[in-house]
Amino acid sequence: MSIVGFRNLRGKTVALPPEIAFLLSHAASPLMLAKAAALARASGTDAATTLIQAGLMEEERFYRALALTLGARFLGGTLPLGAGARFPDSLIAGVAPLALGMGAAFVYAPRGRAIAELLQGRSPTGLMPAITTPTALRHAIFAQRAAGIAAHASDDLLRRRPDWAYNAAPVAPLLALAGLIFGALVLAMASLPALLVTAAWVLVQVGFLALLTFRVAAIGPTGEVAPEDPPGPGLPDGALPVYTVFVALYREAAVVPRLLEALTRFDYPVAKLDIKLLTEADDAATAGALACLTLPAHVEVVVVPPGLPKTKPRALNAALPLARGSCLVVYDAEDVPDPGQLRAAAGAFARASPRTACLQGRLVIDNARDSWLTRCFALEYTALFDVLGPALAAWRLPTPLGGTSTHFRTHILRAVHGWDAWNVTEDADLGLRLARAGYDVGDLPSSTIEEAPARYKAWLNQRTRWMKGFLQTSLTHGRTPMATFRELGPLASLCALALIPGTVVSALAYPFLMLPAVVSLWPGRIEAGSDFWANLPTGTAITVLVSGFVAMLLPAYIGCRRRGWHDLVPFVPLLPAYFLLVSLAAWRGVIELILAPDRWNKTEHGLSRTSRSGALTPHPPR
């Protein structure tokens, strides 16, 4: 290119990168181009991406000027693609064949430094293609290959690794068989001598005690890092990776303005942000809410093609091939992440082992004062994400992910084939799948504010989905128990057993074991046996009871202390009653697993009446 710079008012020549220098001949402001070049140098990226994503020039204007400079045809709007267009290959390469009669064999949407190569005469096809925008190419591929994209999003994991995928075939026969086996065991025990029955009951209690081990052990000093402390020194802008942000939206019109405000507050170079809002094709309300807002240039809306199941992981799978970042984070629609979270995660990944595939942020319930239910929810979350999660990360044990504020190395996420679209707790499944593949999950002590359902029906529907998904995950990875055991190892296998199927089993059994134990072991009613063996059942029952309450109450108390939530400490004793509701949700989850295994119980957001931090816009009381 002959034009590589301009003279400023002081007569000094200002050099411009070739990917934007050609714009000087198209009436572009030299000062604007110089600003883009300076921002690109500071953030360590190319000037073309910076120019567009910083909002200095519209995408279509840029690519029209590029086509004119090259003497190529510019194609905007609807692109008539040829039969060779492929998903995701055409989008990754930025080039796709055109239908006959378009005057060019291919259409090209170059990005970044590929623009400079094209200006230097290096075309990916060897011939001069027509030029379009990346947005127009994506729209064309999604419109003309909708069925293939839907199939990819739903079944790619099943096609590539069927042993890792949940088989959505009816599970009623399997559960019926399990019920028959359980009934047969009960009948068999009824005919056994009393000593053997006692021994069997002691073994059951010891089993529950083993499942409690990880929650009780997490009470130690492992996770003492304060939730708001940064995980270490940050990286300079030039060393930061491109970061992709996914937010799946379905019937979320109420929280769209708050979401966009949160996403535009990130302390991160805008040229290295790749934010994608994923919507469903039949969600007119959310689409209308987005249309009413002016989206920044680095935020794009991806409409997921219609298909089944209509779940969050299916939407994420449809967008995963589009991710441009080497790091990727998933947020929920109601989330308000800390503005420095992406920068903190990038620094943590840079310091972590290459085997660290994911960092789990700290999820914080912000509307705890809405009801006693949200208070207990906040206590449950601080126990999980401020106490148990950091301990599991320090021990390098399997971690059921939180589903939001989960940061990934993108290449590892693709290597394990993304999310299971048929699992309604895709986060727990993915955490276990990463562990089976030999990867670790790290702790990210950066907070993301969440909104908890304040009404019982909404809470129960959400928790039923979680329990059903834990059962789906248990069935998936329990199909080949020896293979799972070999891949995880003894300690990690016990941890996975405790945290996923153990969570459901303990919730199912909770009212039938805990309440009778409290009554029978009430002080004054305990009778001492004549010897050790006669006292063993009572001793193990007391141990399980005390350990269960310690595992339930103490992590919540410690989490409150770490966050300074002194007002929630008096509600910690309510957790045993709260977990009776969790038990009901577990039983509903079993029923729903049989009747509607892929139903996604949608939680409505934007209903909070209080906000501890002020980040959630409270609604007036109704």
Side-chain angles (χ1 to χ4, degrees):
M1 297 293 298
S2 58
I3 301 175
V4 294
F6 67 95
R7 291 186 179 275
N8 61 17
L9 296 177
R10 298 178 180 178
K12 184 178 179 180
T13 299
V14 178
L16 295 175
E19 64 265 25
I20 63 170
F22 73 93
L23 293 169
L24 286 172
S25 60
H26 295 279
S29 164
L31 294 179
M32 176 186 69
L33 298 180
K35 180 179 180 180
L39 288 174
R41 286 193 298 271
S43 59
T45 188
D46 66 277
T49 300
T50 303
L51 182 73
I52 296 171
Q53 295 207 175
L56 300 176
M57 179 177 284
E58 297 83 4
E59 182 187 51
E60 183 168 329
R61 180 188 170 192
F62 178 90
Y63 283 93
R64 282 187 180 276
L66 177 63
L68 189 61
T69 299
L70 295 168
R73 183 179 181 184
F74 177 80
L75 296 177
T78 303
L79 298 178
L81 300 181
R86 296 285 183 268
F87 175 87
D89 307 60
S90 297
L91 290 175
I92 294 172
V95 61
L98 285 168
L100 296 176
M102 294 303 300
F106 294 90
V107 64
Y108 189 29
R111 290 183 182 270
R113 293 183 173 86
I115 295 170
E117 295 177 357
L118 188 61
L119 290 166
Q120 294 167 3
R122 298 199 296 272
S123 167
T125 64
L127 302 172
M128 180 54 67
I131 300 297
T132 191
T133 67
T135 300
L137 181 60
R138 175 173 58 80
H139 285 166
I141 294 289
F142 269 63
Q144 298 179 40
R145 300 293 182 267
I149 295 172
H152 167 88
S154 298
D155 298 322
D156 189 59
L157 176 63
L158 181 62
R159 181 172 60 86
R160 292 176 179 271
R161 286 298 303 265
D163 56 319
W164 281 358
Y166 172 66
N167 185 351
V171 296
L174 182 61
L175 293 179
L177 178 62
L180 289 174
I181 293 173
F182 179 75
L185 289 174
V186 171
L187 292 175
M189 288 182 63
S191 62
L192 291 175
L195 181 61
L196 291 179
V197 173
T198 300
W201 180 239
V202 169
L203 287 176
V204 169
Q205 292 174 321
V206 170
F208 274 100
L209 189 61
L211 297 182
L212 291 170
T213 301
F214 295 95
R215 295 180 184 273
V216 175
I219 295 169
T222 309
E224 283 291 351
V225 180
E228 64 275 6
D229 285 352
L235 298 173
D237 285 4
L240 290 172
V242 175
Y243 224 111
T244 293
V245 177
F246 281 172
V247 186
L249 304 173
Y250 184 57
R251 302 206 310 261
E252 298 286 8
V255 298
V256 161
R258 187 177 75 202
L259 170 66
L260 188 62
E261 180 182 357
L263 296 179
T264 54
R265 290 175 59 236
F266 282 127
D267 173 23
Y268 211 81
V270 68
K272 290 185 170 180
L273 277 176
D274 172 36
I275 300 178
K276 290 176 168 48
L277 308 181
L278 317 179
T279 66
E280 296 287 344
D282 63 349
D283 188 4
T286 302
L290 290 169
C292 292
L293 301 173
T294 301
L295 298 181
H298 61 284
V299 178
E300 62 178 325
V301 177
V302 177
V303 181
V304 179
L308 292 177
K310 189 174 290 184
T311 60
K312 171 185 170 183
R314 188 184 81 95
L316 296 174
N317 283 338
L320 182 56
L322 311 180
R324 294 189 291 109
S326 58
C327 296
L328 183 152
V329 62
V330 176
Y331 292 117
D332 282 343
E334 80 276 16
D335 287 353
V336 181
D338 183 273
Q341 188 171 115
L342 301 188
R343 190 179 287 270
F349 272 131
R351 294 186 299 274
S353 160
R355 303 301 297 176
T356 300
C358 176
L359 300 172
Q360 175 62 62
R362 308 280 182 91
L363 305 185
V364 183
I365 299 302
D366 197 51
N367 62 323
R369 297 188 182 98
D370 276 11
S371 68
W372 78 272
L373 202 59
T374 55
R375 287 180 173 90
C376 289
F377 206 130
L379 292 172
E380 187 181 16
Y381 259 36
T382 193
L384 287 174
F385 294 101
D386 293 332
V387 180
L388 180 61
L392 294 176
W395 299 332
R396 295 186 178 182
L397 290 176
T399 301
L401 301 176
T404 179
S405 199
T406 44
H407 299 252
F408 300 94
R409 298 189 197 266
T410 309
H411 75 279
I412 295 179
L413 183 58
R414 286 174 173 151
V416 297
H417 314 299
W419 296 267
D420 191 338
W422 297 92
N423 190 314
V424 297
T425 51
E426 78 294 337
D427 41 9
D429 170 75
L430 182 55
L432 186 51
R433 192 152 23 103
L434 287 171
R436 289 187 63 181
Y439 295 108
D440 299 326
V441 173
D443 171 53
L444 181 66
S446 174
S447 296
T448 295
I449 287 171
E450 288 252 295
E451 175 187 348
R455 297 186 175 182
Y456 172 69
K457 183 178 180 181
W459 177 93
L460 185 61
N461 284 337
Q462 183 188 68
R463 191 55 58 96
T464 297
R465 173 171 60 83
W466 292 359
M467 289 294 179
K468 180 175 68 175
F470 271 40
L471 286 169
Q472 290 175 327
T473 301
S474 302
L475 291 171
T476 298
H477 299 281
R479 285 197 303 255
T480 54
M482 294 309 299
T484 302
F485 180 82
R486 284 194 304 270
E487 291 165 356
L488 293 178
L491 184 61
S493 295
L494 181 60
C495 178
L497 189 66
L499 297 180
I500 300 179
T503 295
V504 182
V505 170
S506 60
L508 292 172
Y510 176 70
F512 305 103
L513 295 180
M514 192 64 72
L515 295 181
V518 171
V519 173
S520 63
L521 298 177
W522 195 261
R525 299 190 59 179
I526 304 175
E527 297 182 1
S530 58
D531 55 26
F532 172 80
W533 297 107
N535 287 314
L536 183 60
T538 301
T540 54
I542 293 173
T543 304
V544 171
L545 180 65
V546 172
S547 300
F549 278 119
V550 167
M552 185 185 301
L553 303 179
L554 199 52
Y557 171 75
I558 293 173
C560 285
R561 290 292 301 271
R562 289 178 183 173
R563 288 204 169 269
W565 291 351
H566 305 295
D567 58 314
L568 288 186
V569 171
F571 292 89
V572 171
L574 287 180
L575 287 177
Y578 173 76
F579 277 97
L580 286 173
L581 299 180
V582 175
S583 178
L584 177 59
W587 282 103
R588 287 186 78 220
V590 172
I591 295 170
E592 202 171 274
L593 180 67
I594 299 171
L595 300 179
D598 60 334
R599 178 190 297 162
W600 186 280
N601 296 326
K602 179 73 178 68
T603 304
E604 188 177 0
H605 300 122
L607 302 177
S608 60
R609 296 189 298 273
T610 65
S611 176
R612 182 185 295 271
S613 69
L616 301 182
T617 304
H619 286 233
R622 290 182 285 181

